Structure formats: C-alpha cells, structure tokens
Amino acid sequence: MALRTKPRAARVHAGNIARRVARPVLTEVEFARTRRARADVAVFHEYRPPPSGGGHQFLRALTGELRRRELAVEWNRISGGTPSCLFNSFNFDSARLERFARDDVRMVHRVDGPITTYRGFDDGTDGRIAAINELADATILQSQFSLDKHRELGIELRNPLVVRNSVDPEIFHPPAERSGPPRERLRVIATSWSTNPRKGADILEWLDRNLDFAAFDVTFAGNTEQTFERIRVVSPLPSHALADLLREHDVYLATSRDDPCSNALLEALACGLPAAFLRSGGHPELVGDGGLGFDNVEEVPDVLARLREELDERRTHIHVPPLADVADRYLAALRG
C-alpha cells in the first residue's frame, strides 16, 4: 500500500520543485509501524515551547479538548488506520506531510493570514501555503477577514469555511469576583508574543508620550524592542500567569494591524476584559459590542474614557466561542 497516491503527489509536485524540497523516505520500521497503527486524527504542526504565539496556543487548546474526549491524536505522521489529518498553515514539514498523505485520509488545512497582509511584505509564504493547500479536502480560516483577503490576492483555497479560534477555559476565564468599579486609574493591558512592528508599536509609543497616566495605568506583557518611560513592561509569561495578570486589569488594548484572529485578544476577552481595538483585521469580528474600536491613535484616550463608563455593559456583550463548540466544528470538517 503506497503512503501517498499519484493524484495528491501531482497537486504539490510543482510547489516542491519550486522550493527544492529534499524528500526523505520512510525506513522499513517506520513504514511497518505506521501501517499497523491508528489514531482518530493526525496533526501536522511544529510547536515552539511556551510562552509562544497564538497558533501554538490554539492548537494546544484544541488538541487538549480532543484528548478530553478520549480521541487519539498523533503528531506529524499519518498511520495506516488514521482517517483524517489537520495540518497548520506552513508551520510543519510539508515534504513529510506529502509523503504520508493518502486519498483515503480526509485532509483539512488550517490557514491564517494572508501572511503578506499580516507582515506587510510578500516573502513567498502565501505561495507556499497555496501549494500546500492543494493537498486539502477542506480549509479552515479563523475570520471572514482572512477569507476575503485571500480572495483579494487571488488565492482560492479548497472548500473554505470560517471557524474562529477559542481558548482553554480552564486557564482563560473571568475572575470569580470583581473588586467593584475601576480604581482611580483605569487598568489597561496590551499583550504580544511577537515583536512584529505591525503589532502596534507606534500606537504604544504614542500613548507612552501622550496618554494621561493620572487617569490610566498601562501594562504591556510580552516581547518588545521598545523602551517605555511610563508603560510598565512585563516579560512573556506562561499561560496561567498571563491569565492571572489579565484578570487584574479592566480593559484590553488591541493594537495589531491586519491580524486575522488575534489569540491575545481572545484570551483577554475570555478573562472578561472589554477591548479598545484598532478597527483592522479580524478585531471587529471578535469583539462585536464587547468593546469600542478606533481608527487613529489620537482617538484612544476618549475610547478608554468611554469604556470606563461602560465597563459593566460591555462585559455583558463579550462572546468568545466555547472551545467545545470550536472542537465540534473542527471534527465536523475532519469527518467530512
């Protein structure tokens, strides 16, 4: 039995030639083991150790939910009896996936971006993703923004559907009790694992110089190459510690541009923080009436002042898709 059939190989052959990928072969032991074994779903993704970015965080949460349902998940291989495979964006060994792929395995590609829009330049990654997508039976995107932007770039993904990310509710949840109205200073927090300037470095710099810090206390948690005079900086934190820090604040500040589905924003919303968000990317879809948007940094002080007055009301409008519901939709896609 071949581990990969000609139709699937043909779909990505041109992409592999363009990338000049060296395609390793299976050893006899690996070949025999994978033919005999079975999992409920295979996942292709190369994790980075935590704390790490939103894609890693979401997939940890999703696979944790699958395991709680007593489903068997295998990593970066497709055993002989495994019926479906989820592969994430471009963050895995695509040559390895190609050699494991078979026509009797349901293939689902999780895609974010477009990377060209998100990073602000085209380094060929979206082309790689489009080539990998030829293996897919279906594609999951995290926001309507992401789907529309791919189409604007002329990238037609296979059988796309939109399923927003979620977070682990055991970690990211509102506090058991609130301490009452905001203190003298409204406690505002922004977070980012990435140092990409499009995460909102310019907005934070402006606020550090111009915001009234007698009325607002601002914390940034994560990685940054900036030095602030008045914004407090906290180094990247593991998830439990980050969730505790989020729950100590009143409002989340979402500053990233063209972010398809910010996991950092979802984590804050799940902890009960209304958001002041840049109207860009998937932010408006995620926040809805659970916060207030702005188009220019000069609007932020007024947005924060208004949120102070509307905190309780805005909290009632926060909605983060339950992880169990998101897992149901992924399983539906994987089962076809």
Side-chain angles (χ1 to χ4, degrees), residues 231-253:
I231 294 177
R232 178 170 71 110
V233 176
V234 176
S235 298
L237 296 170
S239 293
H240 284 89
L242 177 60
D244 288 339
L245 182 64
L246 287 168
R247 285 187 284 268
E248 293 174 2
H249 288 76
D250 303 307
V251 168
Y252 184 76
L253 179 62

Side-chain angles (χ1 to χ4, degrees), residues 29-332:
V29 172
E30 186 177 20
F31 180 79
R33 183 176 67 243
T34 57
R35 287 191 68 184
R36 293 192 300 269
R38 184 190 188 283
D40 292 295
V41 60
V43 175
F44 273 68
H45 177 70
E46 296 294 340
Y47 281 106
R48 294 182 183 178
S52 51
H56 304 289
Q57 293 289 87
F58 170 71
L59 285 171
R60 286 190 184 98
L62 177 64
T63 54
E65 173 66 18
L66 298 182
R67 287 196 181 98
R68 281 189 286 274
R69 301 181 185 198
E70 300 184 352
L71 297 176
V73 181
E74 62 181 349
W75 300 102
N76 296 323
R77 75 179 198 183
I78 306 173
S79 296
T82 300
S84 59
C85 175
L86 174 67
F87 48 107
N88 184 50
S89 190
F90 64 98
N91 306 108
F92 60 91
D93 184 342
S94 59
R96 181 177 175 86
L97 175 66
E98 182 192 348
R99 81 176 196 267
F100 272 103
R102 308 186 308 270
D103 278 349
D104 64 336
V105 176
R106 172 82 172 170
M107 305 289 283
V108 177
H109 193 187
R110 178 181 181 271
V111 174
D112 56 11
I115 306 300
T116 297
T117 303
Y118 179 62
R119 292 180 178 171
F121 59 89
D122 183 3
D123 63 356
T125 302
D126 287 315
R128 288 175 54 201
I129 291 172
I132 295 168
N133 190 253
E134 289 298 311
L135 283 171
D137 296 298
T139 308
I140 293 178
L141 299 104
Q142 285 78 67
S143 63
Q144 188 64 41
F145 164 83
S146 180
L147 176 57
D148 292 344
K149 281 295 180 181
H150 277 93
R151 287 173 171 165
E152 284 181 22
L153 293 175
I155 301 173
E156 289 296 333
L157 300 167
R158 297 178 67 86
N159 297 320
L161 66 153
V162 174
V163 182
R164 294 181 192 169
N165 291 349
S166 187
V167 299
D168 188 338
E170 297 296 319
I171 302 173
F172 298 99
H173 56 79
E177 296 182 0
R178 296 198 180 276
S179 57
R183 301 173 186 175
E184 182 177 345
R185 294 198 297 170
L186 187 75
R187 297 163 298 183
V188 181
I189 185 169
T191 63
S192 176
W193 176 83
S194 171
T195 58
N196 182 346
R198 293 178 64 80
K199 286 292 188 178
D202 57 329
I203 293 175
L204 292 173
E205 286 178 352
W206 188 93
L207 293 174
D208 193 54
R209 294 193 308 268
N210 296 283
L211 192 64
D212 178 6
F213 280 80
F216 305 104
D217 177 82
V218 182
T219 298
F220 174 83
N223 289 305
T224 181
E225 297 175 351
Q226 299 165 274
T227 299
F228 299 113
E229 293 184 9
R230 296 184 291 176
I231 294 177
R232 178 170 71 110
V233 176
V234 176
S235 298
L237 296 170
S239 293
H240 284 89
L242 177 60
D244 288 339
L245 182 64
L246 287 168
R247 285 187 284 268
E248 293 174 2
H249 288 76
D250 303 307
V251 168
Y252 184 76
L253 179 62
T255 60
S256 55
R257 289 178 172 81
D258 296 320
D259 203 332
C261 185
S262 168
N263 242 62
L265 173 56
L266 286 172
E267 290 167 353
L269 290 168
C271 288
L273 276 66
F277 63 94
L278 182 66
R279 291 191 187 96
S280 179
H283 291 351
E285 296 176 54
L286 301 186
V287 178
D289 291 327
L292 293 170
F294 61 90
D295 297 302
N296 302 297
V297 67
E298 292 83 1
E299 301 172 46
V300 173
D302 289 340
V303 166
L304 293 177
R306 182 177 165 189
L307 281 175
R308 170 192 281 276
E309 302 302 319
E310 300 177 5
L311 272 182
D312 289 339
E313 176 189 350
R314 295 294 171 179
R315 285 178 184 137
T316 65
H317 291 290
I318 291 174
H319 175 70
V320 176
L323 181 60
D325 291 354
V326 171
D328 286 343
R329 296 197 64 191
Y330 268 79
L331 287 172

